Amino acid sequence: MQKEIIGLSKKELSAALALMGEKPFRTKQIWQWLYVQGVTSFAEMTNLSKELREKLSAAFVISRPKIVTEQISADKTHKWLLEFADGQRVETVFIPEDEHGAVCVSTQVGCAVGCKFCHTGSQKITRNLTAGEIISQFMLVKDVYGEWPSSSQENRLVSNIVVMGMGEPLHNVDNVITALNIATDQDGLAVSKRRITLSTSGIVPNIPRIAQETGVKLAISLHAPSNEKRSQIMPINNRYPIEEILTACQEYQKIVTSRYITFEYLMLDHFNDDLQDAQMLIALMKKYKIGAKFNLIPFNPWPGCDFKPSSNNRVHTFSRELEKAGFAAPVRTARGQDILAACGQLKSKKLV
Ligand code: SF4
């Protein structure tokens, strides 16, 4: 049976070509066809001999996930329900800004972490995505927006990757690392490490690997200033409490010295949005000496959830308190709310 070529690391591709009796320089040629030109057939690789193209077609396929449905929100946020070869489905979201845009990729079908505020978390984990399935979500968005050299499209918007879709990326860390290394490879997609953010609920043992093996930006879904409160909404906190997460963040910042860590903080009415909560956050960051910024996220309610969004007034008072202490704490605008594409709303069982 043919193997999927998208998602092989450069080393794996090289080894596969060596087994076919090909010279090492072929790796770069094929890599560029896949990740610079975005071709979807070996026939298009015109600087390879016909014989090699046939050998490649016999051994490999070049796939993209199938689009099952898509929705575009009033603010142009674009959401797709995608299906892979085995019929499993995930959602991918593109969030365009004026001069750039981020593709929010999923890393698992469902999620095992079970955060109480998260719609995805209510969908049981089915399986991890492969590296190819992760990176091909980004490539599919480039296809849709015509952002390969063969297209006449001049505006390049598909520039950033946020690993914040369905799933806990650090529960699928090997495939995520391979996918991110494909994304940043300078001979291919060449996405800058500064344009990639991985968000985790805090799977402590794997945090240093993100620094060592990828160097991309890190975001932690913190959402509460104390273990007592965090465990109520994120049961994973019983396994990896706040102190351990912040120690792992220190490790990350020893390696990736130039980057702030973003702490995602969902504003839940009268649960975690008091001034005292903000002061506890400030004390934590000072104690662990972490270069931190906060992303205050208005909560997007979904059918059947128990939490309510904080009022604008409470959100802005909270933000001002953090800023007074020297931390950036912007209030994120919720995007794609009308199509349930916003943070924590993704779910692939059916479009709701
Ligand atoms: S917030 Fe992230 S880690 Fe938590 S349940 Fe949702 S997808 Fe999983």
Side-chain angles (χ1 to χ4, degrees):
M1 205 175 104
Q2 293 142 306
K3 204 172 163 186
E4 178 57 59
I5 197 166
I6 300 292
L8 292 184
S9 68
K10 228 180 196 174
K11 229 164 138 192
E12 288 166 334
L13 179 59
S14 234
L17 291 171
L19 276 178
M20 290 174 154
E22 293 300 324
K23 298 236 160 56
F25 75 94
R26 293 289 183 206
T27 306
K28 188 165 167 183
Q29 278 183 320
I30 295 167
W31 192 268
Q32 287 178 334
W33 280 115
L34 295 172
Y35 297 112
V36 177
Q37 303 298 332
V39 302
T40 49
S41 77
F42 293 107
E44 293 167 82
M45 300 185 174
T46 47
N47 61 354
L48 307 183
S49 68
K50 190 158 174 275
E51 192 201 343
L52 175 54
R53 282 184 266 154
E54 280 168 3
K55 272 203 291 191
L56 288 169
S57 306
F60 295 109
V61 285
I62 307 172
S63 305
R64 295 284 196 269
K66 190 174 106 194
I67 297 177
V68 181
T69 50
E70 62 185 306
Q71 288 174 282
I72 302 181
S73 123
D75 65 12
K76 297 209 167 55
T77 300
H78 199 154
K79 177 169 84 164
W80 296 266
L81 178 64
L82 301 179
E83 186 174 288
F84 299 110
D86 64 351
Q88 290 298 335
R89 295 173 172 189
V90 298
E91 290 188 330
T92 300
V93 179
F94 178 56
I95 308 141
E97 306 280 351
D98 288 343
E99 289 179 359
H100 57 91
V103 179
C104 178
V105 299
S106 292
T107 54
Q108 298 184 302
V109 181
C111 183
V113 175
C115 304
K116 296 280 191 293
F117 50 78
C118 173
H119 207 201
T120 310
S122 62
Q123 182 178 333
K124 293 251 168 323
I125 178 81
T126 307
R127 70 168 174 86
N128 283 338
L129 297 193
T130 63
E133 289 168 340
I134 297 167
I135 197 63
S136 64
Q137 296 170 58
F138 180 70
M139 295 169 79
L140 177 113
V141 179
K142 279 174 78 90
D143 294 347
V144 171
Y145 283 81
E147 293 204 5
W148 298 108
S150 57
S151 131
S152 54
Q153 165 71 261
E154 277 178 16
N155 240 356
R156 301 276 145 160
L157 284 182
V158 186
S159 55
N160 293 34
I161 299 176
V162 290
V163 189
M164 295 186 186
M166 296 171 57
E168 165 49 66
L170 299 191
H171 274 165
N172 183 15
V173 67
D174 292 330
N175 291 339
V176 167
I177 288 174
T178 304
L180 294 182
N181 286 329
I182 293 172
T184 54
D185 190 290
Q186 287 306 306
D187 293 331
L189 291 164
V191 182
S192 157
K193 292 175 183 183
R194 284 188 309 276
R195 291 184 178 271
I196 301 180
T197 304
L198 178 144
S199 175
T200 175
S201 60
I203 310 302
V204 165
N206 290 335
I207 289 175
R209 285 190 64 189
I210 295 309
Q212 286 150 1
E213 297 177 50
T214 74
V216 302
K217 285 160 67 179
L218 181 68
I220 302 284
S221 294
L222 190 63
H223 306 314
S226 67
N227 287 322
E228 187 247 322
K229 278 192 185 174
R230 192 167 187 265
S231 296
Q232 285 178 48
I233 51 172
M234 301 181 75
I236 191 84
N237 194 69
N238 291 317
R239 179 113 186 253
Y240 302 118
I242 293 176
E243 298 71 29
E244 289 185 24
I245 295 174
L246 296 182
T247 306
C249 288
Q250 289 177 321
E251 290 298 306
Y252 170 95
Q253 283 191 323
K254 270 187 212 151
I255 301 164
V256 187
T257 48
S258 57
R259 308 221 209 293
Y260 278 82
I261 293 174
T262 302
F263 289 87
E264 308 280 357
Y265 200 92
L266 204 52
M267 301 297 296
L268 302 172
D269 190 41
H270 286 89
F271 176 75
N272 63 359
D273 62 351
D274 280 341
L275 262 190
Q276 205 191 358
D277 295 314
Q279 284 151 3
M280 284 166 78
L281 284 179
I282 295 165
L284 273 176
M285 296 305 146
K286 291 197 167 153
K287 178 172 172 203
Y288 285 87
K289 298 190 173 52
I290 290 177
K293 63 177 213 166
F294 293 90
N295 237 342
L296 304 184
I297 310 165
F299 179 55
N300 300 303
W302 36 268
C305 84
D306 293 337
F307 294 99
K308 289 205 186 68
S310 306
S311 68
N312 276 346
N313 199 8
R314 290 179 75 82
V315 173
H316 285 103
T317 311
F318 197 91
S319 165
R320 268 198 307 276
E321 188 69 13
L322 293 170
E323 285 177 349
K324 258 192 342 210
F327 295 99
V331 180
R332 212 203 275 159
T333 353
R335 297 288 303 263
Q337 228 168 330
D338 50 336
I339 58 165
L340 287 184
C343 206
Q345 290 184 322
L346 301 187
K347 193 160 181 167
S348 65
K349 276 268 167 62
K350 59 181 166 59
L351 288 176
V352 282

